[in-house]
Amino acid sequence: MLDKLGSRGLAVVHDAAVAAAGGAGPPVDGVCGGQEVRHGCQLLEQQLAGLRWLVVAGERHEVFRSLGAAARDSVRAVLGTPDEDDELKSWLRSAEGKHRFTRLVETTRRRCGTQLAELAALADGSGVGFEDLLLLNLLGDLGVPDGTGCSNVAWRRETSFVAHNEDGFPTEDGHLMVITLNIEGQTPVTALWYPGFLTANAFTATGSGLVWGGTHIPVVRPGLTGAGRHFIARALQQAPTLDAAVAHLRAHPTAGGYACTLGDSTSGRVAVVEAVAGRVAVHETDATHPLLWHTNHLRYLPEPPDDPALLGDSRRAGAHASRYEESMARGRVLAAITPPQREPSTAWFVETLTSESLPHGVHRTAHGADQFMTLCTVVADLSSGTIMLRNPKGNATQLALSDFTHGNAASMG
């Protein structure tokens, strides 16, 4: 599909990304200290709440090559076949689609060269075409109808929590995994990861003490001067504080965007940051209003660029509207929650996020008209320094937040 969208320009982007990644290079495999060595990196595989957990340590680009190689089958499963979407293919070949995609790629290349190089290394390791992974990572920035999922609930009064439901297609169950990146010279990062995407589009915890759950905002009018949101979000993982994270999102506009529910374990602060189509809104909790929530529609930005009404009566408006209404329905459930008089527990957040489906809850089971299921629930207790993950079967594991961010399974319980 991409061959007819300007293959020469994409080849230039690919070559620049590969050059930044230091060239493909031969793999160096073996075993070192009980850990597998792939592409010169140490790779440890373990399990967390029934999810595959890969811990990769080494030089940046070799880490992503190694990650691609270790998750090769899952990358291909998540990628699927974009050519099967005839409507998307037709739009991308239109004058509007070509212009928007070409401009987005060029902006991302100029502003996010490091992260683009990581994607090139991931593609190299997985044996999947760079152009296919690039399109996969940019779809949410193009303004085309796509899936929505994920619900966040957060709290700050005497204690602080950030909780997240990661919703996806049932075909992604078994492929969603936990990854820890111990990259030389970088703050350690652990995240939920859909293989094939950059490691920044679900839930993140960092060695700086930041955690956040991201909820995709399907914009109908993308920011034409913004870069790809996954690439901006990947760079966000090195922010040292909540204020630095907000500053990063203000300074690096995205074409599409997320609502990030952020928590800082050092200060205890919790906030929702909507960073969408080149605009940013921040809403922080306080003792009077300790409970925050977010789904897949904008709540704080005026004249929101995700409103399907902006498209009039077009066919695209109808596709966007059904997803928008589903997100609004989950939002109404969360808005009706009465904040507990006492400080909540991890169990309270698990109950809130997993006990029921619509119209009474936000847990998703891919039944009826709903295409999505809750693949993982995460609750980070920032006050006690613990984190809990729960898989779709209800298997849950809790461990120290610091061990989670560094890839250490020793404290699991």
Side-chain angles (χ1 to χ4, degrees), residues 357-370:
S357 300
L358 284 174
H360 304 296
V362 298
H363 187 247
R364 305 181 75 175
T365 59
H367 285 167
D370 191 358

PDB file of all heavy atoms in Angstrom, residues 357-370:
ATOM      1  N   SER A 357     -19.639  -4.398  33.249  1.00  0.00           N
ATOM      2  CA  SER A 357     -19.542  -3.765  31.940  1.00  0.00           C
ATOM      3  C   SER A 357     -20.668  -2.748  31.787  1.00  0.00           C
ATOM      4  O   SER A 357     -21.555  -2.643  32.641  1.00  0.00           O
ATOM      5  CB  SER A 357     -19.624  -4.816  30.835  1.00  0.00           C
ATOM      6  OG  SER A 357     -18.579  -5.764  30.957  1.00  0.00           O
ATOM      7  N   LEU A 358     -20.651  -2.014  30.674  1.00  0.00           N
ATOM      8  CA  LEU A 358     -21.733  -1.062  30.404  1.00  0.00           C
ATOM      9  C   LEU A 358     -23.082  -1.768  30.417  1.00  0.00           C
ATOM     10  O   LEU A 358     -23.171  -2.923  29.994  1.00  0.00           O
ATOM     11  CB  LEU A 358     -21.509  -0.404  29.047  1.00  0.00           C
ATOM     12  CG  LEU A 358     -20.443   0.681  28.976  1.00  0.00           C
ATOM     13  CD1 LEU A 358     -20.224   1.131  27.534  1.00  0.00           C
ATOM     14  CD2 LEU A 358     -20.808   1.886  29.843  1.00  0.00           C
ATOM     15  N   PRO A 359     -24.112  -1.129  30.965  1.00  0.00           N
ATOM     16  CA  PRO A 359     -24.186   0.293  31.341  1.00  0.00           C
ATOM     17  C   PRO A 359     -23.812   0.598  32.783  1.00  0.00           C
ATOM     18  O   PRO A 359     -23.970   1.739  33.217  1.00  0.00           O
ATOM     19  CB  PRO A 359     -25.663   0.608  31.111  1.00  0.00           C
ATOM     20  CG  PRO A 359     -26.357  -0.685  31.486  1.00  0.00           C
ATOM     21  CD  PRO A 359     -25.433  -1.771  30.997  1.00  0.00           C
ATOM     22  N   HIS A 360     -23.326  -0.398  33.527  1.00  0.00           N
ATOM     23  CA  HIS A 360     -23.071  -0.182  34.949  1.00  0.00           C
ATOM     24  C   HIS A 360     -21.587  -0.101  35.302  1.00  0.00           C
ATOM     25  O   HIS A 360     -21.244   0.216  36.434  1.00  0.00           O
ATOM     26  CB  HIS A 360     -23.726  -1.302  35.768  1.00  0.00           C
ATOM     27  CG  HIS A 360     -25.193  -1.456  35.516  1.00  0.00           C
ATOM     28  ND1 HIS A 360     -26.102  -0.474  35.816  1.00  0.00           N
ATOM     29  CD2 HIS A 360     -25.896  -2.477  34.943  1.00  0.00           C
ATOM     30  CE1 HIS A 360     -27.312  -0.884  35.469  1.00  0.00           C
ATOM     31  NE2 HIS A 360     -27.217  -2.090  34.941  1.00  0.00           N
ATOM     32  N   GLY A 361     -20.719  -0.436  34.360  1.00  0.00           N
ATOM     33  CA  GLY A 361     -19.287  -0.434  34.628  1.00  0.00           C
ATOM     34  C   GLY A 361     -18.497  -0.204  33.358  1.00  0.00           C
ATOM     35  O   GLY A 361     -19.067  -0.032  32.271  1.00  0.00           O
ATOM     36  N   VAL A 362     -17.168  -0.219  33.477  1.00  0.00           N
ATOM     37  CA  VAL A 362     -16.302   0.097  32.333  1.00  0.00           C
ATOM     38  C   VAL A 362     -15.459  -1.089  31.885  1.00  0.00           C
ATOM     39  O   VAL A 362     -14.637  -0.965  30.978  1.00  0.00           O
ATOM     40  CB  VAL A 362     -15.385   1.301  32.650  1.00  0.00           C
ATOM     41  CG1 VAL A 362     -16.203   2.546  32.914  1.00  0.00           C
ATOM     42  CG2 VAL A 362     -14.441   1.005  33.823  1.00  0.00           C
ATOM     43  N   HIS A 363     -15.653  -2.235  32.529  1.00  0.00           N
ATOM     44  CA  HIS A 363     -14.929  -3.434  32.112  1.00  0.00           C
ATOM     45  C   HIS A 363     -15.472  -3.897  30.767  1.00  0.00           C
ATOM     46  O   HIS A 363     -16.688  -3.897  30.540  1.00  0.00           O
ATOM     47  CB  HIS A 363     -15.104  -4.539  33.152  1.00  0.00           C
ATOM     48  CG  HIS A 363     -14.269  -5.742  32.899  1.00  0.00           C
ATOM     49  ND1 HIS A 363     -14.803  -6.972  32.566  1.00  0.00           N
ATOM     50  CD2 HIS A 363     -12.931  -5.913  32.921  1.00  0.00           C
ATOM     51  CE1 HIS A 363     -13.835  -7.850  32.409  1.00  0.00           C
ATOM     52  NE2 HIS A 363     -12.687  -7.231  32.614  1.00  0.00           N
ATOM     53  N   ARG A 364     -14.576  -4.303  29.852  1.00  0.00           N
ATOM     54  CA  ARG A 364     -15.007  -4.643  28.493  1.00  0.00           C
ATOM     55  C   ARG A 364     -14.712  -6.109  28.198  1.00  0.00           C
ATOM     56  O   ARG A 364     -13.650  -6.630  28.563  1.00  0.00           O
ATOM     57  CB  ARG A 364     -14.339  -3.710  27.477  1.00  0.00           C
ATOM     58  CG  ARG A 364     -14.589  -2.249  27.809  1.00  0.00           C
ATOM     59  CD  ARG A 364     -13.973  -1.283  26.823  1.00  0.00           C
ATOM     60  NE  ARG A 364     -14.717  -1.239  25.570  1.00  0.00           N
ATOM     61  CZ  ARG A 364     -14.436  -0.393  24.586  1.00  0.00           C
ATOM     62  NH1 ARG A 364     -13.442   0.461  24.706  1.00  0.00           N
ATOM     63  NH2 ARG A 364     -15.157  -0.398  23.473  1.00  0.00           N
ATOM     64  N   THR A 365     -15.658  -6.770  27.535  1.00  0.00           N
ATOM     65  CA  THR A 365     -15.570  -8.213  27.329  1.00  0.00           C
ATOM     66  C   THR A 365     -15.743  -8.633  25.869  1.00  0.00           C
ATOM     67  O   THR A 365     -15.838  -9.823  25.583  1.00  0.00           O
ATOM     68  CB  THR A 365     -16.627  -8.926  28.179  1.00  0.00           C
ATOM     69  OG1 THR A 365     -17.931  -8.447  27.808  1.00  0.00           O
ATOM     70  CG2 THR A 365     -16.396  -8.678  29.668  1.00  0.00           C
ATOM     71  N   ALA A 366     -15.802  -7.686  24.939  1.00  0.00           N
ATOM     72  CA  ALA A 366     -15.955  -7.972  23.502  1.00  0.00           C
ATOM     73  C   ALA A 366     -17.230  -8.758  23.222  1.00  0.00           C
ATOM     74  O   ALA A 366     -17.259  -9.608  22.333  1.00  0.00           O
ATOM     75  CB  ALA A 366     -14.732  -8.704  22.959  1.00  0.00           C
ATOM     76  N   HIS A 367     -18.282  -8.468  23.966  1.00  0.00           N
ATOM     77  CA  HIS A 367     -19.569  -9.104  23.742  1.00  0.00           C
ATOM     78  C   HIS A 367     -20.527  -8.112  23.100  1.00  0.00           C
ATOM     79  O   HIS A 367     -20.406  -6.895  23.281  1.00  0.00           O
ATOM     80  CB  HIS A 367     -20.163  -9.615  25.055  1.00  0.00           C
ATOM     81  CG  HIS A 367     -19.487 -10.854  25.557  1.00  0.00           C
ATOM     82  ND1 HIS A 367     -19.670 -11.338  26.829  1.00  0.00           N
ATOM     83  CD2 HIS A 367     -18.623 -11.713  24.960  1.00  0.00           C
ATOM     84  CE1 HIS A 367     -18.950 -12.440  26.992  1.00  0.00           C
ATOM     85  NE2 HIS A 367     -18.303 -12.682  25.877  1.00  0.00           N
ATOM     86  N   GLY A 368     -21.493  -8.618  22.351  1.00  0.00           N
ATOM     87  CA  GLY A 368     -22.463  -7.751  21.702  1.00  0.00           C
ATOM     88  C   GLY A 368     -21.796  -6.883  20.654  1.00  0.00           C
ATOM     89  O   GLY A 368     -20.972  -7.342  19.864  1.00  0.00           O
ATOM     90  N   ALA A 369     -22.138  -5.598  20.670  1.00  0.00           N
ATOM     91  CA  ALA A 369     -21.606  -4.666  19.669  1.00  0.00           C
ATOM     92  C   ALA A 369     -20.207  -4.178  20.010  1.00  0.00           C
ATOM     93  O   ALA A 369     -19.549  -3.556  19.172  1.00  0.00           O
ATOM     94  CB  ALA A 369     -22.543  -3.472  19.529  1.00  0.00           C
ATOM     95  N   ASP A 370     -19.746  -4.442  21.228  1.00  0.00           N
ATOM     96  CA  ASP A 370     -18.428  -3.959  21.646  1.00  0.00           C
ATOM     97  C   ASP A 370     -17.335  -4.866  21.081  1.00  0.00           C
ATOM     98  O   ASP A 370     -17.316  -6.073  21.332  1.00  0.00           O
ATOM     99  CB  ASP A 370     -18.343  -3.927  23.170  1.00  0.00           C
ATOM    100  CG  ASP A 370     -17.113  -3.180  23.680  1.00  0.00           C
ATOM    101  OD1 ASP A 370     -16.304  -2.710  22.850  1.00  0.00           O
ATOM    102  OD2 ASP A 370     -16.963  -3.064  24.907  1.00  0.00           O
TER     103      ASP A 370
END
